[in-house]
Amino acid sequence: MRIALGSDHAGFLLKEYVRGYLAGQGHDVVDVGTYNEESCDYPDFGAAVGRLVASSDVDKGVVVCGSGLGISIAANKVAGVRAVQVMDPEMAEMARRHNDANVVGLAGRYIGIARAESILDVFLATEFEGGRHQRRVDKITALESERQ
Ligand code: RB5
């Protein structure tokens, strides 16, 4: 799978770990930065990952900031992105099965590498169920036309 990966400074260390973990599993990882722990703005990296997902240059996105929240919000501003911040593999599974989430947000300051691995394993392996959930996801997508 081709995966875009981005973080701010607070997510940098976990992003670095995640890049190696995903590459070790044979994924093609596109790292959009940040590339060090200097303070920076998470919207820049959430947007960069979101744009790669929305344009189908990649299959999925992974974003990391301190809480995983702000960078997920930023990614969600890109049309076509469904980014979710998740703290455990159960929510990662639901985000894929019911919401067809295409970006996962990780909390660099709140989860360790074992939790990140389990979230990513489930997020990347779980298929969208479709059916009645497709109708609901379509309604989410339709909301994008309300934007100016
Ligand atoms: C940076 O201090 C922090 O605000 C950021 O990483 C993130 O947690 C925002 O949602």
Side-chain angles (χ1 to χ4, degrees):
M1 199 179 283
R2 193 163 155 83
I3 300 170
L5 175 64
S7 78
D8 72 354
H9 56 287
F12 172 73
L13 292 178
L14 184 58
K15 173 181 74 72
E16 293 297 288
Y17 179 81
V18 165
R19 189 180 63 232
Y21 180 67
L22 295 176
Q25 292 187 325
H27 296 294
D28 181 10
V29 182
V30 181
D31 184 349
V32 304
T34 189
Y35 302 116
N36 56 53
E37 289 187 273
E38 261 177 56
S39 183
C40 61
D41 299 333
Y42 59 79
D44 299 337
F45 305 95
V49 169
R51 289 181 187 123
L52 288 171
V53 171
S55 62
S56 298
D57 284 353
V58 299
D59 303 297
K60 293 281 188 309
V62 179
V63 291
V64 193
C65 67
S67 63
L69 296 170
I71 200 164
S72 298
I73 292 171
N76 273 318
K77 295 298 180 184
V78 179
V81 169
R82 289 177 299 281
V84 288
Q85 188 271 24
V86 297
M87 295 293 284
D88 58 54
E90 290 77 16
M91 292 300 108
E93 181 179 350
M94 294 312 297
R96 287 291 310 133
R97 284 175 54 191
H98 286 195
N99 313 122
D100 199 16
N102 48 19
V103 174
V104 65
L106 302 176
R109 286 179 174 155
Y110 296 92
I111 66 169
I113 57 176
R115 179 75 64 90
E117 286 181 5
S118 62
I119 289 170
L120 290 167
D121 288 351
V122 171
F123 187 80
L124 297 174
T126 305
E127 296 293 330
F128 177 50
E129 280 181 15
R132 67 188 188 282
H133 303 295
Q134 184 64 63
R135 183 180 71 244
R136 294 158 185 168
V137 169
D138 289 344
K139 288 187 176 185
I140 293 173
T141 303
L143 293 170
E144 292 172 355
S145 65
E146 294 182 14
R147 292 184 191 173
Q148 298 191 343

